[in-house]
């Protein structure tokens, strides 16, 4: 046993520390960290730098990007922080605050002994009732653990506000939800909303800033659909695209979403699979949806792409909470894009494939580049009305809504 506890940089992920190094202009990340008295493993340093490149927090020569500048000022996991920033930019902040809080804390569902089937039925029942203001197309858009958590919170908050504490407790008991987790999520939503206000992304009303004890009122304000940052909160296609923007590169794909050359390599290291469910790969190996996920028993996915926050390895590699995401979400917020003009195929990160006419693919590539200029503008003049009304943001939202309308 060591006489002293390990230094924090040897125990914790290095990503946030790497961002602080860049924000403070302390030079390149690796040489700086290697000066420490007890240096982190090179593998851990390289992994952190690689993730910062993948989420576009740093660019060429490790230069901090506009997005990286904002992420460095948010004391949260980098992927969660990116999701929150994009949630505000794309007008669906309230659902993204709930999802970010659940992912930062834990799932609200409890599993009493021998009640697994009843819990699964309760999850489906939560999604059966149409949420107030939801669009008709959202009815078929339920292949998401993250949206399920968001719906659970929204219904709980409405019952608590309108019918009181006892009614909210009965709701939790009926749907196998932890009441203490729901209250914690409310506090975390307020904390995350305040963080976004601190970097100038939203402006908290003055009376809420003064009356710190009125937390439920501030949470209601963050949920208010008349606010510009919640303009598209009822469109699950926008929310799921933002989940993709935040959680990428944590993505898996079914066989029809993987290029042939990559699939043949992956199949060599995979045991023959039963065809009860789509086989998923994360670009390196076969992965499986966790039994607790609402997507676990699906025979077919709406789209061949799945995003997740964490993998756990037991008898297999499992993806814990998952969301099925659309091709447009991958095209807009995925990794490096290679367009094959003659075949009409687009390759993402060298292993995922999408069918798209060359003109459409080029359009998405341009929209990606222009989105960086929107983030630069966000640093210079962080007014919410300017951002959501931006022509590029409006174009991206229009494309996502049109894709949602098209027949699957």
């Amino acid at each position: 046993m060591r006489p002293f506890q390990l230094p924090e940089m040897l125990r914790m992920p290095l990503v946030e520390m790497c961002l602080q190094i860049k924000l403070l202009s302390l030079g390149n990340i690796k040489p700086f960290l290697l000066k420490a008295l007890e240096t982190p493993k090179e593998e851990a340093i390289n992994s952190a730098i690689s993730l910062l490149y993948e989420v576009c927090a740093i660019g060429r020569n490790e230069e901090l990007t506009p997005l990286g500048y904002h992420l460095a000022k948010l004391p949260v996991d980098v992927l969660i922080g990116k999701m929150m920033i994009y949630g505000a930019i794309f007008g669906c902040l309230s659902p993204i605050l709930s999802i970010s809080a659940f992912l930062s804390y834990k799932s609200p569902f409890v599993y009493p002994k021998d009640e697994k089937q009843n819990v699964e039925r309760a999850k489906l029942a939560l999604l059966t009732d149409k949420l107030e203001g939801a669009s008709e197309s959202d009815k078929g858009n339920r292949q998401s653990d993250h949206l399920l958590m968001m719906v659970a919170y929204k219904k709980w908050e409405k019952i608590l506000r309108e019918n009181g504490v006892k009614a909210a407790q009965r709701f939790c008991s009926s749907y196998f939800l932890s009441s203490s987790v729901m209250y914690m999520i409310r506090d975390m939503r307020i904390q995350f909303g305040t963080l976004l206000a601190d970097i100038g992304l939203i402006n908290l009303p003055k009376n809420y800033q003064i009356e710190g004890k009125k937390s439920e009122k501030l949470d209601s304000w963050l949920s208010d659909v008349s606010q510009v940052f919640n303009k598209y909160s009822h469109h699950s296609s926008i929310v799921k695209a933002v989940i993709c923007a935040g959680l990428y590169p944590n993505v898996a794909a079914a066989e029809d979403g993987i290029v042939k050359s990559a699939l043949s390599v992956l199949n060599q290291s995979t045991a023959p699979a039963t065809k009860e469910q789509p086989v998923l790969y994360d670009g390196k190996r076969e992965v499986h949806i966790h039994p607790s996920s609402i997507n676990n028993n699906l025979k077919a996915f709406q789209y061949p792409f799945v995003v997740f926050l964490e993998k756990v390895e037991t008898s297999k590699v499992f993806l814990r909470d998952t969301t099925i995401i659309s091709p447009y979400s991958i095209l807009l917020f995925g990794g490096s894009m290679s367009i094959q003009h003659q075949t009409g195929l687009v390759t993402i990160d060298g292993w995922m494939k999408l069918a798209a006419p060359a003109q459409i693919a080029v359009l998405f590539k341009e929209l990606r580049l222009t989105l960086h200029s929107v983030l630069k503008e966000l640093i210079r003049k962080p007014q919410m009305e300017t951002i959501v009304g931006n022509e590029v943001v409006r174009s991206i939202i229009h494309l996502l809504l049109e894709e949602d309308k098209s027949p699957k």
Side-chain angles (χ1 to χ4, degrees), residues 88 93 193-194 196-209 218 221-222 227-229 381-387:
L93 182 59
T194 307
L196 292 176
D198 289 343
I199 64 170
L201 202 54
I202 61 173
N203 295 313
L204 296 181
K206 288 179 184 175
N207 56 325
Y208 292 128
Q209 292 171 334
L218 181 51
W221 180 81
L222 289 167
Q227 299 293 334
V228 67
F229 52 73
K381 194 171 58 173
Q383 272 93 21
M384 205 62 243
E385 291 79 3
T386 312
I387 300 157

Side-chain angles (χ1 to χ4, degrees), residues 143-146 243-244 247-254 278-282 287-289 293 295 298 301-309 319-326 330 351-352:
Q143 298 180 356
S144 170
D145 292 303
H146 304 112
I243 293 169
C244 173
L247 297 185
Y248 200 93
N250 291 350
V251 63
V279 181
L280 292 173
Y281 301 91
D282 65 356
V287 292
H288 303 266
I289 290 177
S293 170
N295 294 322
L298 291 179
F301 296 153
Q302 184 182 12
Y303 301 112
F305 306 106
V306 180
V307 288
F308 57 92
L309 180 64
L319 314 179
R320 194 176 283 282
D321 295 313
T322 58
T323 290
I324 311 298
I325 51 163
S326 72
I330 291 281
W351 68 280
M352 285 182 291

